[in-house]
Amino acid sequence: MTATPGRAGRREWIGLAVLLLPTLVLTMDMGVLFFAVPYISTTLAPSGTQQLWIMDMYSFLLAGLLITMGALGDRIGRRRLLMIGAAGFTAASLLAAWSHDADQLIAARALLGAAGATVMPSTLALIRTMFHDPRQRQIALGAWGGVLTAGATLGPVAGGLLLDHLWWGSVFLLAVPVMALVLLTAPVLLPEYRTGAAGRFDLPGAALSLGAVLPLVYGVKTVAVEGWSPLPAVAVPTGLLLAAAFVWRQRTAANPLIDLSLFRIRTFSGAISVNTIAMFAMMGFSLFTSQYLQLVKGMSPLTASLWSLVPSVGVGAAVGISSALAGRVRPAVLMGGGFLVAATGFAAMTRVGPHSPLALVLTAAGVLAAGTVGTMTMTAEMVVSAAPVEQAGAASAASETAVELGSSLGIALLGAAGAAVYRHRLDGALPAGVDGEAARTAQDTLGGAVGVAAHLPGRLGADLLETARTAFTDGLHLAAVVGLLFALGAAVLAHRLMRHLPAATPAPAPAPAQEAATA
């Protein structure tokens, strides 16, 4: 297979496989701790606050540093930054695996997040560099999007399987051989790319970017888990103020991290907007799906994670169909249709009850995930194609930051709405004999109700479970209705913002830039 001018050849496709490896590991790492927490709690004895930081530090640093690292890669070289990140991720994984106390593990998770922030935008920007043909790039980005979904699904499964045979630190060692392979093959298979005259790096802008995203993500995630409290209530407006300062800095700086004129490109801003809405709806609802399998259907975490692999079949099919139709159907029609498919899945979720067959839940989850992921594959291509090639790293990072914020907002707002319905339904509806501290625990969360029911006499415990599970599915229905409305709104928005694009959108000509020879 020999590359023709403008088209990728064998080397580029093998290079794509190299890029997909760290992408898979990074997305798996986000969920790999799900099963390890009880073992970590026993071994390292973290406080409640330390345990939250162990879980969240990775995503906080990842989200906070994406824009900075994307812009840095454009300046120092995307392959170089990818290799620095791979080396850093390997070292941090080893540190996490053999942590001796909770503070060391928190520090390791922070380093993992920082290293992950160098890898994510580099992979997407290098795909933009390697695949100039729009059709080939669409296929490559479809594979990239599929790997993102596969990693998020496989992370908890891999973690559960490792913990059945090895110690808790083994979940962090998954990344080591993969990142080592990247370090060995990247100099041979991946091209280097850096801009020619990027100017002085904007350190104040980098600080404002981190300062804006960290409190925003922290605030919305904390509200989702713990409800309103003073610290997250202050963190959210603080993040918004720093975000405004960041925008002002980017408008006035001589060499900004990201050129805000990109957002005046209708395709670029529309793709990011649609992507954010998609992640809000899908990730916000995924929390309910996992809880339903474990707490309503009574599955173990590992069994629930294995069953959650079933919807990924539909997701894989959607990515393939979306890529196949991209050259024949207008993006506005494809994206609008994808969101209508997702809306069908959300509508089906409104019919789910405590005793619904498992097939209904898995089918509905598969349909809504297939619709959103198929659409998101297209938006990734639009983001990297709309931006000039020398700004692909910063543009990719902006898109991924929006994804992180959309996910956090979805989990926070849909989670809060579902929790409010759950508490309202249980107010005054608990079986007689469940009172005092037990009643407060049961009314707080479904997990609390399951724990209380386990210590009650047979009939009373069964009645509490039935009442609590019914209340939970009522909250699930509200979240599904909100997701349905967002999906319908996104379908309209996608059609309006993308209707100017033809079925096969040509890639813009790469701007002149200094491109190093492939090693």
Side-chain angles (χ1 to χ4, degrees):
M1 179 178 178
T2 304
T4 57
R7 290 181 60 82
R10 180 183 293 109
R11 185 175 184 179
E12 285 78 13
W13 289 109
I14 298 174
L16 174 65
V18 174
L19 291 177
L20 296 183
L21 287 174
T23 304
L24 178 67
V25 167
L26 286 177
T27 50
M28 287 179 67
D29 198 78
M30 295 178 186
V32 79
L33 273 187
F34 286 170
F35 297 145
V37 169
Y39 300 89
I40 292 172
S41 298
T42 301
T43 306
L44 302 183
S47 66
T49 301
Q50 286 176 321
Q51 183 168 303
L52 287 175
W53 281 113
I54 288 170
M55 292 295 297
D56 292 333
M57 182 59 82
Y58 176 84
S59 59
F60 288 171
L61 266 294
L62 178 70
L65 290 172
L66 278 170
I67 291 178
T68 297
M69 294 304 178
L72 184 63
D74 290 340
R75 287 164 169 78
I76 71 170
R78 294 164 186 167
R79 186 182 67 187
R80 177 186 295 178
L81 186 67
L82 174 66
M83 295 180 67
I84 291 172
F89 205 91
T90 300
S93 297
L94 294 171
L95 178 64
W98 279 283
S99 294
H100 298 298
D101 55 48
D103 289 335
Q104 184 179 346
L105 183 54
I106 292 170
R109 292 285 288 169
L111 292 174
L112 285 169
T118 69
V119 173
M120 290 295 282
S122 297
T123 57
L124 197 54
L126 281 168
I127 290 175
R128 173 68 177 90
T129 304
M130 294 161 60
F131 295 92
H132 298 287
D133 179 76
R135 176 67 182 140
Q136 289 187 319
R137 187 166 60 245
Q138 178 70 36
I139 295 172
L141 288 169
W144 184 82
V147 165
L148 284 179
T149 304
T153 304
L154 292 173
V157 177
L161 292 174
L162 284 171
L163 289 167
D164 277 349
H165 300 91
L166 301 171
W167 91 110
W168 64 265
S170 63
V171 299
F172 295 106
L173 299 181
L174 282 169
V176 174
V178 174
M179 292 303 185
L181 183 61
V182 171
L183 289 171
L184 289 173
T185 57
V188 179
L189 295 172
L190 300 179
E192 182 59 286
Y193 183 95
R194 66 177 65 87
T195 55
R200 186 184 297 273
F201 188 73
D202 184 16
L203 288 176
L208 286 171
S209 171
L210 181 64
V213 175
L214 274 182
L216 275 175
V217 175
Y218 165 77
V220 295
K221 282 197 171 185
T222 304
V223 168
V225 175
E226 303 175 7
W228 285 103
S229 60
L231 187 57
V234 171
V236 172
T238 299
L240 292 174
L241 287 173
L242 290 173
F246 173 75
V247 171
W248 175 82
R249 171 70 188 179
Q250 298 310 291
R251 284 178 173 171
T252 57
N255 302 293
L257 294 177
I258 183 169
D259 184 359
L260 295 183
S261 65
L262 285 173
F263 290 91
R264 291 198 291 268
I265 301 174
R266 189 175 178 182
T267 302
F268 180 85
S269 58
I272 287 182
S273 300
V274 169
N275 219 14
T276 304
I277 295 173
M279 290 302 295
F280 175 94
M282 186 174 72
M283 294 305 296
F285 198 79
S286 66
L287 183 66
F288 289 90
T289 306
S290 61
Q291 289 187 82
Y292 182 90
L293 293 177
Q294 294 182 55
L295 300 176
V296 177
K297 291 301 185 183
M299 297 181 183
S300 68
L302 181 56
T303 301
S305 66
L306 290 172
W307 274 112
S308 69
L309 294 175
V310 175
S312 65
V313 176
V315 172
V319 171
I321 293 171
S322 176
S323 298
L325 294 178
R328 302 182 181 92
V329 182
R330 291 165 61 93
V333 176
L334 265 183
M335 295 174 70
F339 280 117
L340 290 178
V341 170
T344 303
F346 282 114
M349 277 293 187
T350 64
R351 312 308 302 167
V352 170
H355 306 291
S356 295
L358 185 59
L360 173 61
V361 180
L362 296 178
T363 301
V367 170
L368 71 87
T372 50
V373 173
T375 300
M376 289 166 60
T377 301
M378 298 186 63
T379 60
E381 197 277 335
M382 290 176 180
V383 166
V384 297
S385 297
V389 68
E390 69 272 13
Q391 296 185 47
S396 303
S399 175
E400 289 161 11
T401 302
V403 164
E404 288 290 325
L405 291 176
S407 301
S408 298
L409 285 171
I411 292 171
L413 298 181
L414 293 187
V421 171
Y422 174 81
R423 296 188 186 105
H424 176 72
R425 291 287 190 269
L426 288 187
D427 188 18
L430 292 174
V434 181
D435 50 22
E437 184 63 30
R440 286 189 290 272
T441 301
Q443 195 167 351
D444 190 35
T445 64
L446 178 57
V450 171
V452 169
H455 295 89
L456 294 176
R459 183 61 185 175
L460 182 59
D463 289 344
L464 173 60
L465 280 179
E466 181 67 20
T467 302
R469 286 169 172 168
T470 300
F472 175 82
T473 54
D474 287 343
L476 180 149
H477 294 160
L478 175 62
V481 169
V482 174
L484 170 63
L485 295 176
F486 268 84
L488 292 175
V492 175
L493 182 66
H495 189 269
R496 289 180 61 86
L497 292 178
M498 305 301 175
R499 59 187 175 185
H500 64 289
L501 295 175
T505 305
Q514 177 185 346
E515 189 164 359
T518 303

